Amino acid sequence: MTTPFMTIDALLVGTPAPFRDGDYSAIAKQPVAGPVRITWDGFERDAVADPIHHGGWDKAIHLYPQDHYGWWRERKPDQSLLDAPGAFGENIASRGMTEADICLGDRFSLGSAIVEVSHGRQPCWKLDHRFGARDVMATIVKTARSGLYFRVIRQGEAESGTRMELLERPLAEWSIARIFRLLIAGGHKSDPGAVRTLADMPLLAEAWRERARKLAA
């Protein structure tokens, strides 16, 4: 049996820059040439503008599947952001697996580091502003093309052009797409039992466990 893996097209970092009406954002990340050091906080030389909603143990590294880019280009053919990795502010531009294939708690190799899937990415207004459109956030909610976050289990170093291989899968029934639909896209209404299970799932990021608790109440 072949071990599931993703191919890394690019590794990206960014620092806060003016974004809108006095707000700053580090969403405009750029590819790094050569090795990238991976620490408990994520990629070296990467930063966040809003530490309350971004960064931290459960949001150390953001991955967005490049597998979705063709789908987005069909819907936004004039959007130049989609011509290169980084349109969604991702640290890892990968291909080979999507949110439907990747599960909560999955551990992947990332060069000499090991990372663990902690939750999906909840879209916010910044994506609409970055794309100059009003429907990006809503489209992500409808389609679960959300991207996801990793926590770092072992520090190390990685570079683009390599593979991320699946090392462990403890929760095969809990794909990120399924969890996203339950907690973000309104699916809690039709499956309250699943939401109660998520509320007590240690591998799920605390912010989403808290969301599950509120939805299950």
Side-chain angles (χ1 to χ4, degrees):
M1 181 176 174
T2 303
T3 301
F5 69 91
M6 293 179 279
T7 302
I8 302 172
D9 284 0
L11 300 176
L12 306 97
V13 300
T15 54
F19 192 63
R20 188 191 74 174
D21 298 336
D23 287 312
Y24 280 67
S25 175
I27 196 170
K29 300 186 186 299
Q30 297 297 317
V32 176
V36 177
R37 177 71 185 160
I38 301 159
T39 72
W40 303 122
D41 295 325
F43 288 178
E44 215 170 53
R45 304 198 309 276
D46 192 49
V48 298
D50 178 5
I52 295 175
H53 297 103
H54 299 283
W57 167 244
D58 283 331
K59 292 184 178 180
I61 299 171
H62 175 221
L63 177 148
Y64 196 84
Q66 303 302 284
D67 312 68
H68 296 326
Y69 270 53
W71 186 90
W72 282 105
R73 279 193 290 265
E74 288 179 3
R75 284 149 185 82
K76 299 190 176 297
D78 300 323
Q79 179 50 261
S80 61
L81 286 173
L82 296 166
D83 293 341
F88 297 88
E90 62 264 35
N91 296 116
I92 301 175
S94 65
R95 64 181 66 249
M97 300 174 73
T98 71
E99 299 86 352
D101 311 306
I102 300 169
C103 300
L104 177 66
D106 279 0
R107 288 191 176 185
F108 286 90
S109 62
L110 179 55
S112 58
I114 295 175
V115 294
E116 180 180 87
V117 177
S118 58
H119 63 318
R121 187 247 189 100
Q122 183 172 352
C124 70
W125 64 269
K126 289 183 179 179
L127 284 172
D128 282 358
H129 183 70
R130 177 160 167 78
F131 276 75
R134 297 182 178 181
D135 62 343
V136 177
M137 183 173 71
T139 300
I140 289 172
V141 171
K142 290 176 184 175
T143 65
R145 288 176 167 84
S146 62
L148 55 95
Y149 285 108
F150 291 108
R151 54 178 72 96
V152 177
I153 302 301
R154 186 176 76 193
Q155 300 181 103
E157 196 173 78
E159 58 186 309
S160 61
T162 59
R163 288 184 174 189
M164 295 178 66
E165 294 196 350
L166 180 65
L167 304 176
E168 296 180 36
R169 171 161 286 174
L171 298 169
E173 70 275 25
W174 290 100
S175 73
I176 290 302
R178 180 189 180 195
I179 296 171
F180 184 91
R181 291 189 175 101
L182 284 167
L183 298 185
I184 306 300
H188 65 282
K189 299 172 186 175
S190 58
D191 198 349
V195 176
R196 287 193 292 271
T197 299
L198 289 172
D200 294 320
M201 195 169 284
L203 288 177
L204 185 62
E206 174 57 31
W208 276 28
R209 266 185 285 156
E210 180 61 26
R211 184 174 180 86
R213 293 182 198 113
K214 290 178 180 177
L215 292 173

